[in-house]
Each structure stands twice: as structure tokens, then as C-alpha cells.
Amino acid sequence: MPEAAVAPMLASAAGTILAFDFGEKRIGVAVGEAELDQAHPLTVIQAQANAERFAAIAALIAEWQPALLVVGMPAHLGEDDRPHTMAARCRRFANQLHGRFGLPIDFADERLTSLDAEAQLREAGIDAREAKQHVDALAAALILRTYFATHAPHAHHPNP
């Protein structure tokens, strides 16, 4: 079945926003407020079964009542615009979020966010074993900060 296209939707980015660093093994989650231009790591969802993942996401949505969900979209470094191997999976994850929760979805460039998160944790003196538990949530916060810097006034959602 083809992926849904992403169409512009003029939606306010006002309110709470949850951001996701999607991975096959872990999903980092961050929370932020566009008006304050702040993003904070929230949690890492480690469940691999879709039912468990989406149950954890549903609990976060119920708790935080976000106005928008942002999904990190991987891209290759360099000037070519080839899609990253994880791009289709991230888009499918975004479509599933929209389909299950009916919230607007937007994307933010996630290039190097995991590497930046690892470097920040190292600089903070956190050892590699401890850092592994937090890197995805911090990467999600960096994705949300990128979103605030580049896309905050407009949101998008996948067409149903």
C-alpha cells in the first residue's frame, strides 16, 4: 500500500509538542513548548512490539495533551537528496501516529542528532553505558529544537 503524501495544514504550533526519534529498537521522546522555544528529553520507549510502543505513546499523549507531534526524518549527509534507508519507516511511523491519534504531524531534520546527543552526554561526564539509556530522548529534544528553529509556524499532517 503506498505511503500517504504529506500535505500542508495551517495549524497553530501553540501548546505542547511531542517529538520522536524513531528507531527500530528504541523511540526517543521529547516534550516542548513552541511559545517558550524549549525542548526537554522525556523518555525512551524500548518496546519492540507495535502494540506496546503505541500503548506507551498513547499514555504520553493522554498525559501531555500535545497539539502537534514531530517525527525526526533522517537524511544523508552531503548535497544529494537521496532518501535515507530509515526515511520510509519514519514516514510510516508518522502515518500510524496520525491514524491512531488524529493529531497533526510534522517532520524535522534529524541529521547527526544522535551523534550530537552522545557528545553532549560525554561532555556532561556520563559514561557510555549510562548514556545509552538517555541518548534517544536527548536526540528527540534536539529534533524538536531543530523544528522550533526551522518550522514552528506551520504544521503538516499525513493525508488519511
Side-chain angles (χ1 to χ4, degrees), residues 4-75:
V6 176
M9 173 181 161
L10 295 176
S12 170
T16 300
I17 300 173
L18 289 181
F20 300 90
D21 179 27
F22 177 79
E24 293 177 317
K25 295 182 181 179
R26 293 177 305 278
I27 300 171
V29 186
V31 63
E33 295 289 333
E35 296 87 3
L36 301 175
D37 197 30
Q38 293 182 348
H40 304 282
L42 187 58
T43 191
V44 176
I45 298 169
Q46 302 218 21
Q48 290 188 21
N50 262 350
E52 293 173 23
R53 285 179 166 196
F54 283 105
I57 293 168
L60 292 170
I61 288 173
E63 178 180 351
W64 290 96
Q65 297 292 304
L68 175 70
L69 305 177
V70 173
V71 175
M73 183 59 66

Side-chain angles (χ1 to χ4, degrees), residues 3-154:
E3 298 274 335
V6 176
M9 173 181 161
L10 295 176
S12 170
T16 300
I17 300 173
L18 289 181
F20 300 90
D21 179 27
F22 177 79
E24 293 177 317
K25 295 182 181 179
R26 293 177 305 278
I27 300 171
V29 186
V31 63
E33 295 289 333
E35 296 87 3
L36 301 175
D37 197 30
Q38 293 182 348
H40 304 282
L42 187 58
T43 191
V44 176
I45 298 169
Q46 302 218 21
Q48 290 188 21
N50 262 350
E52 293 173 23
R53 285 179 166 196
F54 283 105
I57 293 168
L60 292 170
I61 288 173
E63 178 180 351
W64 290 96
Q65 297 292 304
L68 175 70
L69 305 177
V70 173
V71 175
M73 183 59 66
H76 287 286
L77 294 174
E79 295 181 16
D80 65 357
D81 287 331
R82 299 179 290 143
H84 189 279
T85 54
M86 283 293 291
R89 290 183 181 137
C90 289
R91 191 167 300 280
R92 186 174 66 221
F93 174 69
N95 288 336
Q96 290 172 327
L97 287 172
H98 179 68
R100 288 173 186 253
F101 305 111
L103 292 167
I105 306 289
D106 206 349
F107 299 94
D109 187 349
E110 73 164 29
R111 259 181 287 212
L112 300 177
T113 54
S114 292
L115 291 174
D116 288 347
E118 289 170 357
Q120 286 182 23
L121 291 168
R122 244 188 338 269
E123 288 170 15
I126 298 172
D127 69 42
R129 181 175 295 176
E130 175 85 13
K132 190 172 183 175
Q133 299 173 27
H134 303 287
V135 71
D136 297 300
L138 182 54
L142 295 174
I143 288 166
L144 191 48
R145 289 177 191 144
T146 298
Y147 177 81
F148 289 153
T150 59
H151 296 92
H154 302 287

